[in-house]
Every structure is written in C-alpha cells, then in structure tokens.
Amino acid sequence: SGHGVFLVAALERLRDLLPAGVDPEERHRFFVNSLAGFEKDSFALEISRLCLMLADFPFPNGWKLQLADVFDSGPFEKAVAQADIVLCNPPFESFTMRERAAYSGLGSTQKPVELLTRILNRLKPSGTLGFVLPRQVLDGTGYKPIREELAKRFREVEIVALPDRVFNQSQIETAVLLA
C-alpha cells in the first residue's frame, strides 16, 4: 500500500462510479470491502490508513490494511486470489543477497518481475492489473518472459512510458502497465 496514494485514488474513482444517492454509510462499507493494502513498513502503513480515513471522512477506520511482506505473506496471496483488480507500485530494486536467501522460490532477481509473476499465478482469469514499473518493462531482457506471459494471458495489454520525473521521489524512468 505504500503511503496510500493508489488506495486513495482507487477510493476516489469508486466514489465517482457509485450512484449519487448511495447512503454514505453504505458507501463507506463498500469502500472498506473493496480496498485492501499490504505493506511491510509500519510507518507507511499508518500513513496509508490515515490517508484513507481523511479521504472518506467522517467515517472511522476499518480499512483492510495489513503489515505484511508481499514476497512472503499467505494473506497477501489469498487476497490476490480473491481480487478483481490489483493495483501495485512495487519496489523497483533487485533483491539483495540476504533477501534471496530469505525468500523461497524466487524466479527473478528483480522485485517487480517477481511480484508481477506471483500475482499472475494467483489472479483469477477475469482479473485486471494496474502496475507502475521500471521503464525496462518495455524492452528490457529481464522482462521478456513476463511480457510474453502478459501477452498470452490478457486480451488487452497497454504499457505506457511515463514522462521523466513524473514521481518526485524517484529518478528511475517509469511505465504503467494495464492488463
């Protein structure tokens, strides 16, 4: 979930899609049942929780946000298997040697590739993806197998390179994957 930027954007989009006359409490229950987040940084998770509470003010907490490592979490895997839509901005770096030793069954040394692979293995056939990824997803050799898997799996795949410096905190060139 990071600091909740994707979750708040999803909440706002869901709010726009709901009929105008929906009871606010019913709308809040819908949001809480529709959105979930996983984060291994407890501070980021708390910021995410607070952002959601502010975005859906005056309703209290109740958000399904879990302190968990997406590379080693049964609840995360279960949530992906039940999800209709998965939005993700994974860490862009490669696994460290210590992480490689700690995580079982890694298929890639790159965190974005590994996470996307794990999600594809669990996402229902009708599922939809939205990923922020390093720009190398467009033509990098380390991403070739995952591009092939995406092409086999989905009828529609869009990968769009974003302009430089679109994110304040990162200097890495990025792309958005929608499938």
Side-chain angles (χ1 to χ4, degrees):
S1 72
H3 292 95
V5 174
F6 262 8
L7 288 170
V8 169
L11 181 146
E12 294 296 336
R13 182 65 180 134
L14 288 172
R15 180 179 281 134
D16 291 343
L17 294 173
L18 288 172
V22 174
D23 175 70
E25 288 185 18
E26 182 181 336
R27 183 186 67 213
H28 174 70
R29 280 192 300 277
F30 175 73
F31 292 158
V32 167
N33 290 328
S34 298
L35 301 171
F38 296 84
E39 175 60 51
K40 73 177 194 174
D41 179 325
S42 60
F43 181 73
L45 193 68
E46 189 59 28
I47 297 296
S48 184
R49 187 178 321 282
L50 293 170
C51 286
L52 284 167
M53 288 171 62
L54 287 171
D56 198 32
F57 184 80
F59 296 99
N61 197 353
W63 303 103
K64 292 187 255 178
L65 302 177
Q66 293 189 37
L67 187 62
D69 183 338
V70 295
F71 296 107
D72 187 25
S73 170
F76 173 74
E77 293 173 4
K78 183 178 177 186
V80 169
Q82 294 173 347
D84 294 314
I85 301 170
V86 175
L87 301 176
C88 190
N89 184 3
F92 282 12
E93 69 267 8
S94 296
F95 289 102
T96 65
M97 292 304 282
R98 179 177 282 159
E99 289 170 328
R100 288 184 205 178
Y103 297 126
S104 61
L106 290 179
S108 174
T109 60
Q110 300 167 318
K111 288 180 181 180
V113 173
E114 182 65 25
L115 187 56
L116 186 50
T117 300
R118 288 176 182 222
I119 288 172
L120 286 174
N121 289 339
R122 289 165 183 84
L123 187 66
K124 28 175 130 163
S126 61
T128 299
L129 293 176
F131 263 70
V132 177
L133 294 166
R135 191 182 183 291
Q136 291 89 340
V137 69
L138 293 169
D139 54 12
T141 56
Y143 286 84
K144 185 177 180 186
I146 203 70
R147 286 193 306 268
E148 291 171 351
E149 180 63 29
L150 289 164
K152 286 182 209 169
R153 167 97 188 252
F154 294 98
R155 261 192 349 252
E156 296 179 49
V157 177
E158 291 186 45
I159 303 176
V160 179
L162 298 177
D164 290 348
R165 295 183 176 90
V166 78
F167 296 106
N168 293 335
Q169 301 300 318
S170 177
Q171 299 303 314
I172 298 173
E173 293 180 346
T174 55
V176 172
L177 162 71
L178 301 172

